[in-house]
Amino acid sequence: MLIPITALDDERIAPYRDVKDRDLHRRDNLFIVEGKVTIARLIEHSRFPIRSLFLADTRIDPMQEILRGLDPAVPVFIAPQNIMDAVAGFPLHRGVLALAERTQAPPVKEILPAQGPATLLVLIGLSNHDNVGACFRNAAALGALGSANQFRGSGNVGPHIGRHVRTSLPAFASRGPSAR
């Protein structure tokens, strides 16, 4: 469902306005996904429900094939690039954003195969979010089945922080199950 946005103060796009991922997580248990490839993975292979998409009007045609896989009930907000940049608070060169819900990860025993060996990425007490993306990319390269994550601190470090999603979701996080 394509919905044109013509005003910066349109409340339907409020979650995209000048927000940091940590604010979304604290307030509504949501996260932002950016980029065509990453959003395609989110739509095709992810356990995370999608709340909405926000696209620059110039990205509608390049995203058509991906949008066909999206649940028709999910709103797709469309705006000129200058409005999208102003709403986000910075230039969005890709012109493609999605808002998704964090879901509760299952216990580790639920993602392991019933028999045989399995490679699993385990992150315990990781506090530097810059390392998460590298861990996920390496796990994907090594054929890991999924990940088990227990992050330290205020809850702002995790696999759904914007830069990790952008750099790692296509490689690993959306196709490998994540456990707690």
Side-chain angles (χ1 to χ4, degrees):
M1 155 178 31
L2 298 179
I3 302 167
I5 300 294
T6 57
L8 291 174
D9 60 352
D10 190 317
E11 283 305 308
R12 296 174 295 181
I13 55 170
Y16 295 98
R17 191 173 295 115
D18 297 319
V19 73
K20 304 240 183 302
D21 277 326
R22 68 175 180 263
D23 299 330
L24 281 172
H25 174 65
R26 285 182 187 146
R27 187 179 62 230
D28 298 318
N29 212 25
L30 302 171
F31 65 102
I32 297 282
V33 178
E34 179 184 0
K36 181 180 176 180
V37 173
T38 311
I39 289 174
R41 280 286 189 163
L42 182 71
I43 291 170
E44 296 166 10
H45 302 292
S46 180
R47 66 180 167 88
F48 306 108
I50 301 169
R51 286 258 184 108
S52 65
L53 268 63
F54 188 24
L55 308 178
D57 54 8
T58 58
R59 303 301 296 158
I60 298 169
D61 286 340
M63 291 287 293
Q64 281 301 320
E65 186 175 331
I66 294 166
L67 292 176
R68 279 194 277 280
L70 184 66
D71 180 338
V74 173
V76 179
F77 302 113
I78 308 297
Q81 186 70 51
N82 64 327
I83 288 180
M84 190 172 193
D85 292 348
V87 167
F90 59 93
L92 287 165
H93 303 293
R94 293 179 180 96
V96 180
L97 295 174
L99 184 67
E101 297 176 34
R102 298 173 206 262
T103 56
Q104 181 67 38
V108 172
K109 65 182 179 181
E110 289 184 22
I111 69 168
L112 293 175
Q115 298 179 7
T119 302
L120 186 69
L121 170 66
V122 179
L123 302 174
I124 298 172
L126 189 65
S127 60
N128 182 342
H129 58 76
D130 290 332
N131 295 327
V132 176
C135 291
F136 279 178
R137 288 187 301 279
N138 285 323
L142 296 171
L145 166 73
S147 68
N149 311 304
Q150 182 180 13
F151 297 103
R152 182 172 61 210
S154 64
N156 293 337
V157 177
H160 306 107
I161 301 295
R163 94 177 77 168
H164 312 147
V165 172
R166 190 169 49 250
T167 61
S168 304
L169 190 76
F172 180 66
S174 69
R175 70 168 192 227
S178 200
R180 56 179 156 74

